[in-house]
Amino acid sequence: MSKIKILHLEDDPDDSELVLTELKSGEFEVEYTRVDNEKQFRNQLENNKFDIVLADYNLPTFNGISALRICAEKYPETPFIIVSGTLGEEIAVEMLKYGAADYLLKQNLKRLVAAVEHALAEARLKLEKLKTEKELKESEEKFRTIIENSADAIFVADTNGNYVFTNKKVTE
C-alpha cells in the first residue's frame, strides 16, 4: 500500500467524504487535507508538500482554474485533478491546457483511483526526466570544461577529414 498526501479543495464536506472513501478503496494509505478557500489553499501549499491536488471547479469565493494556475506556477511537479459536479467540455479542455492531469465528475468517482495512480506515475516520469536532463547538462559542462582547458590540442574529424570539433589549443 503506497502512502499519498492529498490536498483537496472542496467546499462540501459530504463530497469530500465521498472522494476520500473512493480513494481509500484503492491501494492507498491517504493523508488527507481539505480546504475550502483560497487563503487556506495557498497556506497549505506553502507549508506542506503534497503528492497530488484535487479540486472542485466551483466554490463560493474561489475556483478550480485559479487554484490550478497557483499550483502550476509555484508547484509544477504536483499533479492536479479537477473533481467537479458540473464541468462543461470547453472548461475541461481549458483545464487540461493549463496543466490539469485529469478531470472527473463527482457523479462518476469510479475512475478516481485510476486517475490518481496515472497522475502520480506521470509526475514520477516527469521528475525522472528532469533529473536525467540536469545530470546530462552537468556532465556536458564538465566535459566541455575539461576539453577547453586541456593543455593538448584536441579535435574530432569526420570521415572526409573535416574538423567537426576543436578546442582552443588546435588554433594555437
Side-chain angles (χ1 to χ4, degrees):
M1 185 176 279
S2 52
K3 184 175 183 177
I4 58 171
K5 192 169 180 180
I6 297 173
L7 177 60
H8 190 192
L9 176 62
E10 174 60 66
D11 61 325
D12 185 335
D14 292 333
D15 286 347
S16 178
E17 190 61 36
L18 288 171
V19 166
L20 183 56
T21 300
E22 189 65 33
L23 288 167
K24 287 181 177 179
S25 75
E27 296 294 317
F28 299 122
E29 179 184 333
V30 178
E31 186 177 327
Y32 188 81
T33 303
R34 182 178 74 86
V35 296
D36 63 8
N37 62 58
E38 181 177 2
K39 183 178 178 183
Q40 291 173 343
F41 183 75
R42 286 181 182 272
N43 184 42
Q44 286 295 324
L45 283 175
E46 289 171 9
N47 294 308
N48 297 288
K49 172 78 173 115
F50 292 96
D51 297 309
I52 194 161
V53 174
L54 307 177
D56 190 359
Y57 183 77
N58 291 313
L59 294 111
T61 60
F62 194 42
N63 64 44
I65 194 79
S66 297
L68 174 59
R69 286 179 178 155
I70 291 165
C71 196
E73 180 182 312
K74 294 187 177 194
Y75 310 95
E77 70 284 355
T78 304
F80 191 101
I81 296 177
I82 295 293
V83 182
S84 187
T86 57
L87 193 65
E89 189 175 315
E90 288 179 27
I91 293 171
V93 169
E94 182 181 5
M95 299 299 288
L96 293 172
K97 281 183 185 177
Y98 281 112
D102 207 340
Y103 68 92
L104 298 142
L105 294 176
K106 291 177 184 177
Q107 305 89 295
N108 187 20
L109 290 178
K110 291 178 179 137
R111 253 186 5 97
L112 181 60
V113 171
V116 168
E117 288 172 343
H118 179 74
L120 292 172
E122 287 290 319
R124 277 191 298 276
L125 288 174
K126 186 177 177 182
L127 285 174
E128 287 174 18
K129 180 181 178 197
L130 291 173
K131 180 182 174 201
T132 301
E133 288 173 350
K134 180 183 175 193
E135 290 170 351
L136 178 61
K137 184 177 178 183
E138 289 171 356
S139 175
E140 287 174 347
E141 288 172 2
K142 284 179 190 175
F143 175 78
R144 186 171 312 281
T145 300
I146 291 168
I147 296 298
E148 290 300 325
N149 293 311
S150 174
D152 296 323
I154 300 172
F155 65 91
V156 176
D158 64 15
T159 56
N160 296 326
N162 299 316
Y163 294 135
V164 291
F165 173 83
T166 62
N167 70 349
K168 294 176 191 175
K169 287 292 182 180
V170 170
T171 56
E172 292 175 11

